[in-house]
PDB file of all heavy atoms in Angstrom:
ATOM      1  N   PRO A   1      32.728 -49.969 -13.342  1.00  0.00           N
ATOM      2  CA  PRO A   1      33.359 -49.458 -14.547  1.00  0.00           C
ATOM      3  C   PRO A   1      33.969 -48.025 -14.212  1.00  0.00           C
ATOM      4  O   PRO A   1      33.270 -47.137 -13.612  1.00  0.00           O
ATOM      5  CB  PRO A   1      32.352 -49.342 -15.581  1.00  0.00           C
ATOM      6  CG  PRO A   1      31.091 -50.030 -15.023  1.00  0.00           C
ATOM      7  CD  PRO A   1      31.342 -50.128 -13.608  1.00  0.00           C
ATOM      8  N   THR A   2      35.116 -47.795 -14.760  1.00  0.00           N
ATOM      9  CA  THR A   2      35.749 -46.430 -14.479  1.00  0.00           C
ATOM     10  C   THR A   2      36.226 -46.022 -15.838  1.00  0.00           C
ATOM     11  O   THR A   2      36.822 -46.776 -16.649  1.00  0.00           O
ATOM     12  CB  THR A   2      36.929 -46.571 -13.618  1.00  0.00           C
ATOM     13  OG1 THR A   2      36.381 -47.137 -12.368  1.00  0.00           O
ATOM     14  CG2 THR A   2      37.525 -45.298 -13.260  1.00  0.00           C
ATOM     15  N   LEU A   3      36.086 -44.689 -16.079  1.00  0.00           N
ATOM     16  CA  LEU A   3      36.626 -44.092 -17.328  1.00  0.00           C
ATOM     17  C   LEU A   3      37.766 -43.032 -17.036  1.00  0.00           C
ATOM     18  O   LEU A   3      37.450 -42.196 -16.194  1.00  0.00           O
ATOM     19  CB  LEU A   3      35.404 -43.370 -18.074  1.00  0.00           C
ATOM     20  CG  LEU A   3      35.867 -42.507 -19.263  1.00  0.00           C
ATOM     21  CD1 LEU A   3      36.532 -43.348 -20.322  1.00  0.00           C
ATOM     22  CD2 LEU A   3      34.706 -41.773 -19.860  1.00  0.00           C
ATOM     23  N   LYS A   4      38.822 -43.248 -17.516  1.00  0.00           N
ATOM     24  CA  LYS A   4      39.858 -42.277 -17.371  1.00  0.00           C
ATOM     25  C   LYS A   4      40.489 -41.982 -18.721  1.00  0.00           C
ATOM     26  O   LYS A   4      41.039 -42.850 -19.422  1.00  0.00           O
ATOM     27  CB  LYS A   4      41.079 -42.877 -16.397  1.00  0.00           C
ATOM     28  CG  LYS A   4      42.160 -41.842 -16.077  1.00  0.00           C
ATOM     29  CD  LYS A   4      43.081 -42.451 -15.049  1.00  0.00           C
ATOM     30  CE  LYS A   4      44.092 -41.384 -14.815  1.00  0.00           C
ATOM     31  NZ  LYS A   4      45.075 -41.892 -13.881  1.00  0.00           N
ATOM     32  N   ALA A   5      40.306 -40.726 -19.138  1.00  0.00           N
ATOM     33  CA  ALA A   5      40.696 -40.346 -20.456  1.00  0.00           C
ATOM     34  C   ALA A   5      42.135 -40.165 -20.596  1.00  0.00           C
ATOM     35  O   ALA A   5      42.741 -39.542 -19.807  1.00  0.00           O
ATOM     36  CB  ALA A   5      39.913 -39.075 -20.867  1.00  0.00           C
ATOM     37  N   PRO A   6      42.686 -40.470 -21.773  1.00  0.00           N
ATOM     38  CA  PRO A   6      44.132 -40.184 -22.005  1.00  0.00           C
ATOM     39  C   PRO A   6      44.339 -38.725 -22.293  1.00  0.00           C
ATOM     40  O   PRO A   6      43.497 -38.005 -22.650  1.00  0.00           O
ATOM     41  CB  PRO A   6      44.399 -41.085 -23.332  1.00  0.00           C
ATOM     42  CG  PRO A   6      43.104 -41.146 -24.084  1.00  0.00           C
ATOM     43  CD  PRO A   6      42.042 -41.146 -22.936  1.00  0.00           C
ATOM     44  N   LEU A   7      45.657 -38.345 -22.141  1.00  0.00           N
ATOM     45  CA  LEU A   7      46.025 -36.994 -22.477  1.00  0.00           C
ATOM     46  C   LEU A   7      46.734 -36.790 -23.752  1.00  0.00           C
ATOM     47  O   LEU A   7      47.674 -36.077 -23.949  1.00  0.00           O
ATOM     48  CB  LEU A   7      46.856 -36.436 -21.339  1.00  0.00           C
ATOM     49  CG  LEU A   7      46.282 -36.144 -20.045  1.00  0.00           C
ATOM     50  CD1 LEU A   7      47.111 -35.710 -18.957  1.00  0.00           C
ATOM     51  CD2 LEU A   7      45.153 -35.067 -20.269  1.00  0.00           C
ATOM     52  N   THR A   8      46.168 -37.555 -24.753  1.00  0.00           N
ATOM     53  CA  THR A   8      46.713 -37.485 -26.110  1.00  0.00           C
ATOM     54  C   THR A   8      45.513 -37.030 -26.922  1.00  0.00           C
ATOM     55  O   THR A   8      44.451 -37.536 -26.907  1.00  0.00           O
ATOM     56  CB  THR A   8      47.159 -38.848 -26.593  1.00  0.00           C
ATOM     57  OG1 THR A   8      48.156 -39.341 -25.722  1.00  0.00           O
ATOM     58  CG2 THR A   8      47.758 -38.708 -28.040  1.00  0.00           C
ATOM     59  N   ALA A   9      45.770 -35.982 -27.782  1.00  0.00           N
ATOM     60  CA  ALA A   9      44.671 -35.309 -28.582  1.00  0.00           C
ATOM     61  C   ALA A   9      44.419 -36.196 -29.798  1.00  0.00           C
ATOM     62  O   ALA A   9      45.346 -36.774 -30.460  1.00  0.00           O
ATOM     63  CB  ALA A   9      45.003 -33.901 -28.941  1.00  0.00           C
ATOM     64  N   ASN A  10      43.181 -36.197 -30.274  1.00  0.00           N
ATOM     65  CA  ASN A  10      42.901 -36.585 -31.543  1.00  0.00           C
ATOM     66  C   ASN A  10      43.395 -35.609 -32.541  1.00  0.00           C
ATOM     67  O   ASN A  10      43.088 -34.409 -32.460  1.00  0.00           O
ATOM     68  CB  ASN A  10      41.323 -36.675 -31.661  1.00  0.00           C
ATOM     69  CG  ASN A  10      40.760 -37.240 -33.006  1.00  0.00           C
ATOM     70  OD1 ASN A  10      41.401 -37.024 -34.002  1.00  0.00           O
ATOM     71  ND2 ASN A  10      39.649 -37.884 -33.014  1.00  0.00           N
ATOM     72  N   PRO A  11      44.194 -36.104 -33.487  1.00  0.00           N
ATOM     73  CA  PRO A  11      44.808 -35.157 -34.443  1.00  0.00           C
ATOM     74  C   PRO A  11      43.774 -34.349 -35.391  1.00  0.00           C
ATOM     75  O   PRO A  11      44.113 -33.445 -36.040  1.00  0.00           O
ATOM     76  CB  PRO A  11      45.775 -35.971 -35.252  1.00  0.00           C
ATOM     77  CG  PRO A  11      45.321 -37.354 -35.038  1.00  0.00           C
ATOM     78  CD  PRO A  11      44.590 -37.460 -33.748  1.00  0.00           C
ATOM     79  N   THR A  12      42.570 -34.855 -35.344  1.00  0.00           N
ATOM     80  CA  THR A  12      41.514 -34.141 -36.144  1.00  0.00           C
ATOM     81  C   THR A  12      40.781 -33.059 -35.311  1.00  0.00           C
ATOM     82  O   THR A  12      39.934 -32.518 -35.835  1.00  0.00           O
ATOM     83  CB  THR A  12      40.565 -35.129 -36.765  1.00  0.00           C
ATOM     84  OG1 THR A  12      39.830 -35.813 -35.714  1.00  0.00           O
ATOM     85  CG2 THR A  12      41.309 -36.140 -37.635  1.00  0.00           C
ATOM     86  N   ALA A  13      40.999 -33.007 -34.046  1.00  0.00           N
ATOM     87  CA  ALA A  13      40.275 -32.126 -33.106  1.00  0.00           C
ATOM     88  C   ALA A  13      40.552 -30.703 -33.622  1.00  0.00           C
ATOM     89  O   ALA A  13      41.636 -30.257 -33.884  1.00  0.00           O
ATOM     90  CB  ALA A  13      40.831 -32.285 -31.682  1.00  0.00           C
ATOM     91  N   LYS A  14      39.424 -29.888 -33.659  1.00  0.00           N
ATOM     92  CA  LYS A  14      39.509 -28.506 -33.914  1.00  0.00           C
ATOM     93  C   LYS A  14      39.255 -27.744 -32.603  1.00  0.00           C
ATOM     94  O   LYS A  14      38.203 -27.857 -32.051  1.00  0.00           O
ATOM     95  CB  LYS A  14      38.406 -28.197 -35.044  1.00  0.00           C
ATOM     96  CG  LYS A  14      38.794 -28.833 -36.322  1.00  0.00           C
ATOM     97  CD  LYS A  14      37.795 -28.379 -37.397  1.00  0.00           C
ATOM     98  CE  LYS A  14      38.189 -29.061 -38.673  1.00  0.00           C
ATOM     99  NZ  LYS A  14      37.142 -29.060 -39.662  1.00  0.00           N
ATOM    100  N   VAL A  15      40.230 -26.868 -32.365  1.00  0.00           N
ATOM    101  CA  VAL A  15      40.231 -26.116 -31.065  1.00  0.00           C
ATOM    102  C   VAL A  15      40.099 -24.723 -31.345  1.00  0.00           C
ATOM    103  O   VAL A  15      40.841 -24.105 -32.121  1.00  0.00           O
ATOM    104  CB  VAL A  15      41.406 -26.552 -30.193  1.00  0.00           C
ATOM    105  CG1 VAL A  15      41.442 -25.647 -28.966  1.00  0.00           C
ATOM    106  CG2 VAL A  15      41.501 -27.975 -29.936  1.00  0.00           C
ATOM    107  N   GLY A  16      39.220 -23.995 -30.547  1.00  0.00           N
ATOM    108  CA  GLY A  16      39.192 -22.523 -30.652  1.00  0.00           C
ATOM    109  C   GLY A  16      39.819 -21.992 -29.343  1.00  0.00           C
ATOM    110  O   GLY A  16      39.556 -22.516 -28.289  1.00  0.00           O
ATOM    111  N   ILE A  17      40.535 -20.882 -29.440  1.00  0.00           N
ATOM    112  CA  ILE A  17      41.009 -20.235 -28.273  1.00  0.00           C
ATOM    113  C   ILE A  17      40.641 -18.790 -28.417  1.00  0.00           C
ATOM    114  O   ILE A  17      40.936 -18.118 -29.394  1.00  0.00           O
ATOM    115  CB  ILE A  17      42.511 -20.305 -28.184  1.00  0.00           C
ATOM    116  CG1 ILE A  17      43.015 -21.695 -28.132  1.00  0.00           C
ATOM    117  CG2 ILE A  17      43.076 -19.612 -26.843  1.00  0.00           C
ATOM    118  CD1 ILE A  17      44.525 -21.935 -28.103  1.00  0.00           C
ATOM    119  N   VAL A  18      39.792 -18.321 -27.414  1.00  0.00           N
ATOM    120  CA  VAL A  18      39.326 -16.925 -27.317  1.00  0.00           C
ATOM    121  C   VAL A  18      40.218 -16.278 -26.248  1.00  0.00           C
ATOM    122  O   VAL A  18      40.293 -16.701 -25.106  1.00  0.00           O
ATOM    123  CB  VAL A  18      37.905 -16.847 -26.961  1.00  0.00           C
ATOM    124  CG1 VAL A  18      37.321 -15.348 -27.071  1.00  0.00           C
ATOM    125  CG2 VAL A  18      37.060 -17.708 -27.939  1.00  0.00           C
ATOM    126  N   VAL A  19      40.893 -15.140 -26.637  1.00  0.00           N
ATOM    127  CA  VAL A  19      41.910 -14.466 -25.691  1.00  0.00           C
ATOM    128  C   VAL A  19      41.501 -13.011 -25.546  1.00  0.00           C
ATOM    129  O   VAL A  19      41.265 -12.277 -26.601  1.00  0.00           O
ATOM    130  CB  VAL A  19      43.226 -14.504 -26.382  1.00  0.00           C
ATOM    131  CG1 VAL A  19      44.300 -14.098 -25.260  1.00  0.00           C
ATOM    132  CG2 VAL A  19      43.545 -15.969 -26.811  1.00  0.00           C
ATOM    133  N   SER A  20      41.484 -12.602 -24.399  1.00  0.00           N
ATOM    134  CA  SER A  20      41.276 -11.160 -24.035  1.00  0.00           C
ATOM    135  C   SER A  20      42.541 -10.319 -24.237  1.00  0.00           C
ATOM    136  O   SER A  20      43.640 -10.723 -23.909  1.00  0.00           O
ATOM    137  CB  SER A  20      40.795 -10.982 -22.627  1.00  0.00           C
ATOM    138  OG  SER A  20      40.872  -9.678 -22.239  1.00  0.00           O
ATOM    139  N   ARG A  21      42.434  -9.252 -24.988  1.00  0.00           N
ATOM    140  CA  ARG A  21      43.498  -8.326 -25.157  1.00  0.00           C
ATOM    141  C   ARG A  21      43.803  -7.510 -23.952  1.00  0.00           C
ATOM    142  O   ARG A  21      44.883  -6.999 -23.707  1.00  0.00           O
ATOM    143  CB  ARG A  21      43.235  -7.318 -26.305  1.00  0.00           C
ATOM    144  CG  ARG A  21      43.617  -7.790 -27.774  1.00  0.00           C
ATOM    145  CD  ARG A  21      43.735  -6.663 -28.743  1.00  0.00           C
ATOM    146  NE  ARG A  21      42.758  -5.561 -28.555  1.00  0.00           N
ATOM    147  CZ  ARG A  21      41.544  -5.468 -29.058  1.00  0.00           C
ATOM    148  NH1 ARG A  21      41.159  -6.399 -29.773  1.00  0.00           N
ATOM    149  NH2 ARG A  21      40.778  -4.397 -28.809  1.00  0.00           N
ATOM    150  N   PHE A  22      42.883  -7.246 -23.117  1.00  0.00           N
ATOM    151  CA  PHE A  22      43.069  -6.547 -21.870  1.00  0.00           C
ATOM    152  C   PHE A  22      44.023  -7.333 -20.955  1.00  0.00           C
ATOM    153  O   PHE A  22      43.910  -8.528 -20.810  1.00  0.00           O
ATOM    154  CB  PHE A  22      41.775  -6.283 -21.117  1.00  0.00           C
ATOM    155  CG  PHE A  22      41.843  -5.248 -20.123  1.00  0.00           C
ATOM    156  CD1 PHE A  22      41.626  -3.855 -20.460  1.00  0.00           C
ATOM    157  CD2 PHE A  22      41.973  -5.527 -18.796  1.00  0.00           C
ATOM    158  CE1 PHE A  22      41.757  -2.828 -19.493  1.00  0.00           C
ATOM    159  CE2 PHE A  22      42.046  -4.550 -17.790  1.00  0.00           C
ATOM    160  CZ  PHE A  22      41.891  -3.215 -18.129  1.00  0.00           C
ATOM    161  N   ASN A  23      45.043  -6.647 -20.446  1.00  0.00           N
ATOM    162  CA  ASN A  23      46.144  -7.396 -19.771  1.00  0.00           C
ATOM    163  C   ASN A  23      46.978  -8.324 -20.664  1.00  0.00           C
ATOM    164  O   ASN A  23      47.262  -9.447 -20.301  1.00  0.00           O
ATOM    165  CB  ASN A  23      45.626  -7.975 -18.534  1.00  0.00           C
ATOM    166  CG  ASN A  23      45.193  -7.073 -17.451  1.00  0.00           C
ATOM    167  OD1 ASN A  23      45.840  -6.096 -17.169  1.00  0.00           O
ATOM    168  ND2 ASN A  23      44.106  -7.434 -16.837  1.00  0.00           N
ATOM    169  N   GLU A  24      47.149  -7.819 -21.914  1.00  0.00           N
ATOM    170  CA  GLU A  24      47.826  -8.601 -22.945  1.00  0.00           C
ATOM    171  C   GLU A  24      49.233  -9.130 -22.487  1.00  0.00           C
ATOM    172  O   GLU A  24      49.692 -10.142 -22.944  1.00  0.00           O
ATOM    173  CB  GLU A  24      47.901  -7.864 -24.183  1.00  0.00           C
ATOM    174  CG  GLU A  24      48.359  -8.624 -25.348  1.00  0.00           C
ATOM    175  CD  GLU A  24      48.210  -7.902 -26.715  1.00  0.00           C
ATOM    176  OE1 GLU A  24      47.656  -6.781 -26.798  1.00  0.00           O
ATOM    177  OE2 GLU A  24      48.625  -8.412 -27.716  1.00  0.00           O
ATOM    178  N   LEU A  25      49.854  -8.418 -21.650  1.00  0.00           N
ATOM    179  CA  LEU A  25      51.206  -8.827 -21.070  1.00  0.00           C
ATOM    180  C   LEU A  25      51.042 -10.292 -20.575  1.00  0.00           C
ATOM    181  O   LEU A  25      51.930 -11.136 -20.696  1.00  0.00           O
ATOM    182  CB  LEU A  25      51.627  -7.802 -20.141  1.00  0.00           C
ATOM    183  CG  LEU A  25      52.989  -8.245 -19.360  1.00  0.00           C
ATOM    184  CD1 LEU A  25      54.186  -8.266 -20.249  1.00  0.00           C
ATOM    185  CD2 LEU A  25      53.155  -7.261 -18.189  1.00  0.00           C
ATOM    186  N   VAL A  26      49.911 -10.447 -19.826  1.00  0.00           N
ATOM    187  CA  VAL A  26      49.725 -11.800 -19.207  1.00  0.00           C
ATOM    188  C   VAL A  26      48.977 -12.737 -20.275  1.00  0.00           C
ATOM    189  O   VAL A  26      49.389 -13.865 -20.322  1.00  0.00           O
ATOM    190  CB  VAL A  26      48.776 -11.607 -18.001  1.00  0.00           C
ATOM    191  CG1 VAL A  26      48.400 -12.919 -17.438  1.00  0.00           C
ATOM    192  CG2 VAL A  26      49.418 -10.710 -17.000  1.00  0.00           C
ATOM    193  N   THR A  27      48.064 -12.225 -20.989  1.00  0.00           N
ATOM    194  CA  THR A  27      47.255 -13.222 -21.791  1.00  0.00           C
ATOM    195  C   THR A  27      48.054 -13.686 -22.985  1.00  0.00           C
ATOM    196  O   THR A  27      47.815 -14.914 -23.460  1.00  0.00           O
ATOM    197  CB  THR A  27      45.906 -12.527 -22.291  1.00  0.00           C
ATOM    198  OG1 THR A  27      46.267 -11.386 -23.079  1.00  0.00           O
ATOM    199  CG2 THR A  27      45.014 -12.159 -21.284  1.00  0.00           C
ATOM    200  N   GLU A  28      49.057 -12.988 -23.516  1.00  0.00           N
ATOM    201  CA  GLU A  28      49.830 -13.501 -24.483  1.00  0.00           C
ATOM    202  C   GLU A  28      50.676 -14.663 -24.061  1.00  0.00           C
ATOM    203  O   GLU A  28      50.997 -15.669 -24.684  1.00  0.00           O
ATOM    204  CB  GLU A  28      50.705 -12.506 -25.158  1.00  0.00           C
ATOM    205  CG  GLU A  28      51.879 -11.936 -24.305  1.00  0.00           C
ATOM    206  CD  GLU A  28      52.437 -10.753 -24.936  1.00  0.00           C
ATOM    207  OE1 GLU A  28      52.205 -10.355 -26.096  1.00  0.00           O
ATOM    208  OE2 GLU A  28      53.441 -10.186 -24.257  1.00  0.00           O
ATOM    209  N   LYS A  29      51.059 -14.707 -22.815  1.00  0.00           N
ATOM    210  CA  LYS A  29      51.806 -15.833 -22.193  1.00  0.00           C
ATOM    211  C   LYS A  29      50.977 -17.012 -21.911  1.00  0.00           C
ATOM    212  O   LYS A  29      51.298 -18.163 -22.095  1.00  0.00           O
ATOM    213  CB  LYS A  29      52.518 -15.334 -20.884  1.00  0.00           C
ATOM    214  CG  LYS A  29      53.503 -14.329 -21.035  1.00  0.00           C
ATOM    215  CD  LYS A  29      54.054 -13.817 -19.671  1.00  0.00           C
ATOM    216  CE  LYS A  29      54.970 -12.663 -19.628  1.00  0.00           C
ATOM    217  NZ  LYS A  29      55.922 -12.655 -20.664  1.00  0.00           N
ATOM    218  N   LEU A  30      49.683 -16.722 -21.627  1.00  0.00           N
ATOM    219  CA  LEU A  30      48.701 -17.905 -21.366  1.00  0.00           C
ATOM    220  C   LEU A  30      48.452 -18.535 -22.745  1.00  0.00           C
ATOM    221  O   LEU A  30      48.428 -19.760 -22.847  1.00  0.00           O
ATOM    222  CB  LEU A  30      47.362 -17.294 -20.820  1.00  0.00           C
ATOM    223  CG  LEU A  30      47.428 -16.765 -19.422  1.00  0.00           C
ATOM    224  CD1 LEU A  30      46.056 -16.167 -19.070  1.00  0.00           C
ATOM    225  CD2 LEU A  30      47.786 -17.810 -18.417  1.00  0.00           C
ATOM    226  N   LEU A  31      48.220 -17.741 -23.820  1.00  0.00           N
ATOM    227  CA  LEU A  31      48.106 -18.222 -25.166  1.00  0.00           C
ATOM    228  C   LEU A  31      49.224 -19.064 -25.533  1.00  0.00           C
ATOM    229  O   LEU A  31      49.005 -20.166 -26.092  1.00  0.00           O
ATOM    230  CB  LEU A  31      47.803 -17.074 -26.115  1.00  0.00           C
ATOM    231  CG  LEU A  31      47.676 -17.489 -27.650  1.00  0.00           C
ATOM    232  CD1 LEU A  31      46.531 -18.452 -27.857  1.00  0.00           C
ATOM    233  CD2 LEU A  31      47.632 -16.200 -28.469  1.00  0.00           C
ATOM    234  N   ALA A  32      50.530 -18.503 -25.400  1.00  0.00           N
ATOM    235  CA  ALA A  32      51.598 -19.374 -25.772  1.00  0.00           C
ATOM    236  C   ALA A  32      51.661 -20.678 -25.093  1.00  0.00           C
ATOM    237  O   ALA A  32      52.041 -21.813 -25.717  1.00  0.00           O
ATOM    238  CB  ALA A  32      52.971 -18.574 -25.452  1.00  0.00           C
ATOM    239  N   GLY A  33      51.332 -20.728 -23.754  1.00  0.00           N
ATOM    240  CA  GLY A  33      51.355 -21.980 -23.031  1.00  0.00           C
ATOM    241  C   GLY A  33      50.298 -22.939 -23.456  1.00  0.00           C
ATOM    242  O   GLY A  33      50.505 -24.168 -23.661  1.00  0.00           O
ATOM    243  N   ALA A  34      49.114 -22.353 -23.855  1.00  0.00           N
ATOM    244  CA  ALA A  34      48.012 -23.280 -24.352  1.00  0.00           C
ATOM    245  C   ALA A  34      48.320 -23.854 -25.807  1.00  0.00           C
ATOM    246  O   ALA A  34      48.191 -25.083 -25.993  1.00  0.00           O
ATOM    247  CB  ALA A  34      46.737 -22.423 -24.440  1.00  0.00           C
ATOM    248  N   VAL A  35      48.833 -23.004 -26.670  1.00  0.00           N
ATOM    249  CA  VAL A  35      49.159 -23.516 -27.970  1.00  0.00           C
ATOM    250  C   VAL A  35      50.244 -24.615 -27.985  1.00  0.00           C
ATOM    251  O   VAL A  35      50.178 -25.579 -28.654  1.00  0.00           O
ATOM    252  CB  VAL A  35      49.541 -22.337 -28.965  1.00  0.00           C
ATOM    253  CG1 VAL A  35      50.134 -22.840 -30.239  1.00  0.00           C
ATOM    254  CG2 VAL A  35      48.293 -21.456 -29.186  1.00  0.00           C
ATOM    255  N   ASP A  36      51.316 -24.280 -27.252  1.00  0.00           N
ATOM    256  CA  ASP A  36      52.418 -25.126 -27.066  1.00  0.00           C
ATOM    257  C   ASP A  36      51.974 -26.596 -26.591  1.00  0.00           C
ATOM    258  O   ASP A  36      52.294 -27.521 -27.129  1.00  0.00           O
ATOM    259  CB  ASP A  36      53.522 -24.645 -26.246  1.00  0.00           C
ATOM    260  CG  ASP A  36      54.707 -25.508 -25.972  1.00  0.00           C
ATOM    261  OD1 ASP A  36      55.397 -25.769 -26.964  1.00  0.00           O
ATOM    262  OD2 ASP A  36      54.926 -25.974 -24.791  1.00  0.00           O
ATOM    263  N   THR A  37      51.170 -26.480 -25.571  1.00  0.00           N
ATOM    264  CA  THR A  37      50.587 -27.714 -24.876  1.00  0.00           C
ATOM    265  C   THR A  37      49.752 -28.480 -25.869  1.00  0.00           C
ATOM    266  O   THR A  37      49.947 -29.769 -26.000  1.00  0.00           O
ATOM    267  CB  THR A  37      49.932 -27.461 -23.627  1.00  0.00           C
ATOM    268  OG1 THR A  37      50.869 -26.801 -22.710  1.00  0.00           O
ATOM    269  CG2 THR A  37      49.363 -28.679 -23.082  1.00  0.00           C
TER     270      THR A  37
END
């Protein structure tokens, strides 16, 4: 048996994103990429 999970989110999933302000020039771009995805 093999398990391969799909890349479609459950629409009820609750996601937290913790972001560092230090080097915000970079982390704001990481955040934008994560939220968009």
Side-chain angles (χ1 to χ4, degrees):
T2 303
L3 172 63
K4 187 173 180 182
L7 287 177
T8 304
N10 178 334
T12 64
K14 292 183 180 164
V15 175
I17 303 177
V18 184
V19 191
S20 170
R21 274 197 327 271
F22 198 81
N23 291 317
E24 191 171 354
L25 174 67
V26 175
T27 61
E28 67 186 1
K29 295 174 190 312
L30 295 173
L31 176 61
V35 169
D36 179 63
T37 300

